[in-house]
Amino acid sequence: MASVAARTVEIGFQPDWDPAAAEAGHRGLLAWDPRVRTMLKVLVSYPEVRYILADRISLDVGADPRLLETIARFLERQRWLVRRVKVT
């Protein structure tokens, strides 16, 4: 059975939010902060979103490149949380 490829948006976080940090409060997109929770609700509203982890968003392989760009720009504007965004 062939696996279905997906598009990924990888996120680098500001130090206070980085899920790779040793502190338990640093949870990236899975943080309990109300701002992050609201952002997460917006992101999962797109039907092309397959799943979201603390540091990445997986989208269907057929996701429109304009949607990927829209999501990347949305995340980049969240300077309090996001340091960099990479679409693969």
Side-chain angles (χ1 to χ4, degrees):
M1 173 163 75
S3 66
V4 176
R7 302 296 307 261
T8 303
V9 178
E10 297 176 6
I11 304 156
F13 293 92
Q14 297 295 343
D16 289 345
W17 299 95
D18 192 352
E23 295 182 36
H26 299 198
R27 300 194 48 186
L29 293 177
L30 302 180
W32 284 103
D33 184 282
R35 297 172 295 176
V36 178
R37 303 305 291 172
T38 299
M39 199 173 70
L40 193 62
K41 288 177 187 177
V42 169
L43 293 169
V44 299
S45 71
Y46 292 103
E48 295 86 353
V49 172
R50 296 175 63 211
Y51 59 87
I52 296 177
L53 298 176
D55 64 346
R56 72 193 66 198
I57 302 166
S58 176
L59 293 101
D60 292 331
V61 71
D64 190 313
R66 293 174 296 184
L67 174 61
L68 293 164
E69 183 65 26
T70 298
I71 290 174
R73 284 186 186 174
F74 171 71
L75 291 168
E76 288 170 344
R77 286 192 306 264
Q78 312 307 313
R79 291 319 234 173
W80 56 273
L81 177 68
V82 175
R83 196 177 35 162
R84 68 171 176 76
V85 176
K86 178 182 174 188
V87 177
T88 58

